[in-house]
Amino acid sequence: MFRAVHAPNHPGQKPASFSPDSRQAWVRLLLALLIGSIGGVGMWAVVVVIPVVQAEFAATRGAVSLAFTLMMFGFGLGGVIAGKITDKFGIVPAMAISIAFLGVANTLAGLSTQLWQFVAAYFLIGLGTSATFAPLMAEASHWFERYRGLAVTIVASGNYVAGTIWPPLISSGIERIGWRTTHVGIALVCVSLMSILVLVLRAQMGDDKVRNHANAPPPRVDPRLSTNTLTVLLSIASISCCVAMAMPQVHIVAYCGDLGYGVARGAEMLSLMMACGIVSRIGSGYLADKIGGIPTLLIGALAQGFALVFYLFFDSLASLYLISAMFGLFQGGIVPSYAIIVREAMPASEAATRVGIVIFASVFGMSFGGWVSGVIFDATGSYAAAFANGVAWNALNVGIVLMLLIRSRMNVARRGPGFAT
């Protein structure tokens, strides 16, 4: 039986040796980052294989994009399930289940003979990938106090490290051994490397017990909304931002193929986008520790909309490389900011559940955005309308976040400078 592995300290019990923000906390954080970097492959493999799978099954772009949609749905649903498993049994059992799903599902994807089988396999891949994101972010937030925002975004950066290293490898694998064998290879890599890392993480966890939130400090930010109302608003905002975010991330490879630059160039742009996103994601965590989650989210949302507009007017090879890098720099810190806001504005005892709900909403936005962009392409024959659709959804996100910022600032002014932000 695995032991629960959240940060320690039940009243009346012998204190554990672990201390937040300690050297051991940073070692755990590094292991979590590596696990996320490997396990996040499922989110990016499907983006690279869309063109070749579409050709093999003689399907429409929208039909093949359903693989991404269901993968993201599995990712979101799995995040809630894995979060509950983590709360009850610890992160290690949740990761063990994730590894099993990734191994089996990637193998099934490689063996699929019909499009529906491929799509179903990616739903299972999404379930497997899920434990490497929201549950790991929630877990890492218990390891830190002073650098909590930075820690959460570093863990979340595993997703973008995966987006940096995996697309070129998968593209090369498709050219050399085919997309089917490549999926089987992904299964082997995930099972072997992730198993080793999770065992090391388990050893680092030792005897840590589930955190007792009875004496946790109250929320530091008060937007004068009930917890449920704030959760709904954050969920709508996260859906909106991720519909916009999905257009370049899901379709940049196919877009470059349509423009005649080749899918390999698109994979390079996706990798560049994710590499720049790592910088943005970590930087946003540092910024959030200084100015708070809501202002950090607003900055990221405005910048993402700015970058999306450039895709509407420029499509040369050099400009697409530049815009993709800019897009990565601007949007990388958006999704982790929602988790930071939850920790700032909601009771600690509800944080894991609320983070799971909001991240699930963001995943729905990504899956819907990836699918609807493919449908818009099929209807119009180009991606111009799909980019414009992304800009409109991003504007809705900006409006909601701006409202939350105004409400929280007004409440600070009413309470006085003693109320922490």
Side-chain angles (χ1 to χ4, degrees):
M1 174 69 69
F2 290 113
R3 296 177 177 179
V5 289
H6 287 290
N9 297 343
H10 288 284
Q13 290 185 352
K14 180 181 178 180
S17 59
F18 176 78
S19 298
D21 299 292
S22 64
R23 179 180 179 276
Q24 187 180 4
W26 289 102
V27 172
R28 293 182 184 184
L29 190 65
L30 175 60
L31 290 169
L33 174 61
L34 292 174
I35 292 169
S37 301
I38 298 170
V41 58
M43 298 189 68
W44 309 111
V46 63
V47 178
V48 179
V49 302
I50 280 178
V52 65
V53 172
Q54 179 185 1
E56 176 155 341
F57 291 118
T60 64
R61 185 67 52 79
V64 179
S65 295
L66 280 175
F68 180 85
T69 301
L70 287 188
M71 183 276 296
M72 292 301 292
F73 179 74
F75 180 77
L77 178 63
V80 177
I81 297 172
K84 290 185 176 294
I85 293 173
T86 301
D87 285 337
K88 189 171 184 179
F89 301 107
I91 191 66
V92 174
M95 291 307 309
I97 296 172
S98 172
I99 292 169
F101 266 87
L102 285 171
V104 172
N106 275 287
T107 301
L108 291 175
L111 297 175
S112 59
T113 57
Q114 298 183 49
L115 181 58
W116 72 265
Q117 296 172 348
F118 178 81
V119 171
Y122 261 94
F123 171 73
L124 299 178
I125 289 173
L127 288 175
T129 303
S130 63
T132 68
F133 195 64
L136 269 182
M137 283 197 293
E139 184 68 28
S141 72
H142 295 297
W143 302 338
F144 293 84
E145 293 178 358
R146 181 180 179 185
Y147 299 108
R148 179 176 293 154
L150 182 60
V152 167
T153 54
I154 287 176
V155 171
S157 295
N159 176 270
Y160 278 6
V161 173
T164 302
I165 63 177
W166 280 108
L169 293 175
I170 294 169
S171 178
S172 177
I174 292 172
E175 293 179 359
R176 294 173 182 270
I177 59 177
W179 65 271
R180 297 180 183 278
T181 307
T182 297
H183 275 87
V184 176
I186 291 171
L188 294 173
V189 170
C190 287
V191 170
S192 59
L193 294 184
M194 290 179 68
S195 295
I196 294 171
L197 290 169
V198 170
L199 287 174
V200 176
L201 179 61
R202 183 191 178 197
Q204 284 289 324
M205 291 289 191
D207 294 325
D208 283 356
K209 303 297 183 180
V210 178
R211 174 182 288 266
N212 188 315
H213 297 291
N215 298 317
R220 296 184 297 166
V221 175
D222 183 9
R224 294 182 297 157
L225 296 167
S226 70
T227 302
N228 287 336
T229 300
L230 180 57
T231 301
V232 170
L233 286 174
L234 288 176
S235 296
I236 295 173
S238 65
I239 290 171
S240 302
C241 80
C242 289
V243 171
M245 191 182 299
M247 176 54 235
Q249 289 189 3
V250 178
H251 291 275
I252 190 66
V253 176
Y255 184 40
C256 287
D258 294 339
L259 291 174
Y261 301 135
V263 296
R265 296 298 187 192
E268 291 173 358
M269 290 179 196
L270 179 61
S271 179
L272 176 63
M273 189 186 299
M274 296 302 102
C276 292
I278 296 169
V279 177
S280 172
R281 187 154 280 188
I282 296 175
S284 70
Y286 178 81
L287 185 63
D289 284 332
K290 299 295 183 182
I291 67 173
I294 296 177
T296 301
L297 177 58
L298 180 61
I299 292 171
L302 287 169
Q304 175 175 267
F306 179 77
L308 278 172
V309 170
F310 278 88
Y311 278 112
L312 287 169
F313 298 102
F314 303 96
D315 62 3
S316 69
L317 183 61
S319 64
L320 287 177
Y321 273 109
L322 181 60
I323 297 170
S324 296
M326 181 172 64
F327 185 81
L329 283 173
F330 289 169
Q331 56 81 44
I334 292 178
V335 173
S337 293
Y338 291 108
I340 295 170
I341 293 170
V342 168
R343 291 304 308 267
E344 289 179 340
M346 299 185 190
S349 60
E350 301 180 23
T353 300
R354 301 291 176 171
V355 168
I357 293 171
V358 175
I359 295 300
F360 190 9
S362 72
V363 167
F364 174 81
M366 285 291 293
S367 60
F368 174 73
W371 172 76
V372 78
S373 295
V375 170
I376 292 173
F377 173 85
D378 289 335
T380 63
S382 79
Y383 278 118
F387 280 118
N389 177 66
V391 171
W393 280 94
N394 192 79
L396 174 60
N397 176 44
V398 170
I400 293 173
V401 178
L402 182 60
M403 181 270 291
L404 292 177
L405 179 63
I406 292 173
R407 291 183 68 91
S408 62
R409 293 300 187 195
M410 289 176 62
N411 204 36
V412 170
R414 182 172 60 86
R415 289 171 177 257
F419 186 75
T421 58

